[in-house]
Amino acid sequence: TGDHENAHVPISPVGQNASAYQMPDLSQEGPEAKLLRPASRGAALNDVELIAKAAAKAAEILNEKQSKQQSNAFHFSLMVVVLNVAIHFVRHGSEETYKLVVFFINAVALYGISQQYTSSKSNTSPRRGPKARAAAAGNKSKRKKFIADDGNAKLSSPSTPDQQSTNGNRTNFARTLPAGRTMPRAPPIKNSELSAQLAAHDPNSADAIRAYAAAPASSIQAQPHTYSNVDSKLFNLRIGPNYKKNKQKAPSAPALYDLISMDFLYADAPLKQMGDKFRLPNIPGLTDISTGHSHIPPLLVVNTWLPGEEPSMFAKNTLEGETYSIPLVFVLSKDTLGQLQNLETASPGVKLWSEWCKRAEKEESFRGRFKCMGMIENIENTGVPKFIQGYNGKPALVTKSGTFHRHANYIEFSINVNMWAFLARKGLYTLTPTFPDFIFNVGFTIEARKDEEMPEVLLGGCRLLHLDTEKAVVDGVDDVEI
């Protein structure tokens, strides 16, 4: 590339005072002037190469700044490099190069502003909640190792599975717990019919689970950071005939599954299979029943992974990293069990569910008909932005982000939100701190596409009552006290 190949862009030395740097004298015929003198208006390719070199150098400075946590002089050095090149090309470069320069300057400026905002925010706001507890536990572990190393002592390998991982791909977690131990179910209102029913049965019995499922929302105390069964009629689902043309929807019939438990776990990796952390319930007369169909087990687990760290527009979607795992355990309702006795006379929703259980494991396209829905109650009074309110209750197909696992008596379907589009991840992450302010209903269904598959019906759901992410149970930290 001629002069461009051997040219050196003067920048402020790393670690020195940025104010000592001087702009090159463009009026003199030196190396700097030689660098910035365009060969011709048609040298757009070399201009772009030069910009790429400057950008790479700037990125190198920025990366070194982040790794060593140096002063703000790095930001200044970065801007000097960019402006040196930009000033010249804005005046003398080609039109294509000018556009590239403008775009690059805007990108760097936006990145710098966001970094400054994040830095100031982290400096002024102490870490709280699960992240703070996880960090404190990690620091404590590091301090122990440092003391041992300093004393020439040898430490044995970590005793807890939580500390054992390979490239972040964890399959084992700390102490295993019974399902439902990390999240309390909302209690019944005193002197209600539900309260009387529960008083006569063990809270983990089949009778108690069925009583909770049949109870109206009015019989539940909406205590902060609890959960309850969802009202299926809240969700408007597809009905025929000819949905593609008529676009008609109606409130769902009762859900095919009753909710048994919910858990709320925070860890440095997603809970890829519920059995890695939780022991599924064993309730006689409920979890051990036969459905009459080998491909339809009595239990269903829907395990959702929410991002525990702020999503990045430029980072690749990941299967690892800080994650809130929310596994929900469902059992077939009495009505669904009755319909399964004869699939020929079963409702279209039950038939479609049977087909999904049969084909989803091997057919990606059919597995991708799993839909999830989220609905905030009284959203107009919550302060949620208007553009988000428009998506309230809208279904979302779970395609590539869905994982299917078949077990002895249950199917587990995992939803990795970290693989969703950036705006969806960013919006959800932004909303998580406001979860304690509202009641959030979550529901799942299988998408019907033919008249004979309609009306759609809710598979199951959960009513999250003022969920507080600060109270998520940290794997290996909080669970030792449960």
Side-chain angles (χ1 to χ4, degrees), residues 223-342:
Q223 291 187 358
H225 197 64
T226 60
Y227 74 93
S228 67
N229 289 68
V230 74
D231 182 359
S232 61
K233 294 190 296 294
L234 289 175
F235 297 96
N236 290 320
L237 303 181
R238 294 181 175 187
I239 61 173
N242 198 354
Y243 175 80
K244 286 186 177 181
K245 178 181 179 181
N246 299 324
K247 303 295 183 182
Q248 290 185 337
K249 293 186 176 183
S252 173
L256 302 185
Y257 282 80
D258 295 337
L259 179 64
I260 294 182
S261 68
M262 168 187 170
D263 281 284
F264 192 33
L265 181 74
Y266 175 88
D268 60 4
L271 181 64
K272 294 188 176 180
Q273 294 198 45
M274 186 176 178
D276 292 338
K277 178 66 181 179
F278 298 100
R279 298 188 296 274
L280 267 72
N282 183 13
I283 305 174
L286 199 68
T287 62
D288 57 354
I289 54 179
S290 172
T291 65
H293 305 275
S294 59
H295 62 285
I296 307 177
L299 296 179
L300 169 67
V301 174
V302 180
N303 186 5
T304 304
W305 309 335
L306 300 180
E309 49 193 347
E310 185 168 6
S312 170
M313 180 183 295
F314 303 104
K316 292 182 179 180
N317 295 345
T318 179
L319 298 176
E320 305 298 333
E322 298 174 359
T323 305
Y324 295 99
S325 297
I326 309 178
L328 303 173
V329 181
F330 300 93
V331 64
L332 282 168
S333 69
K334 284 185 176 181
D335 180 72
T336 307
L337 283 170
Q339 292 191 56
L340 287 175
Q341 300 306 309
N342 187 354

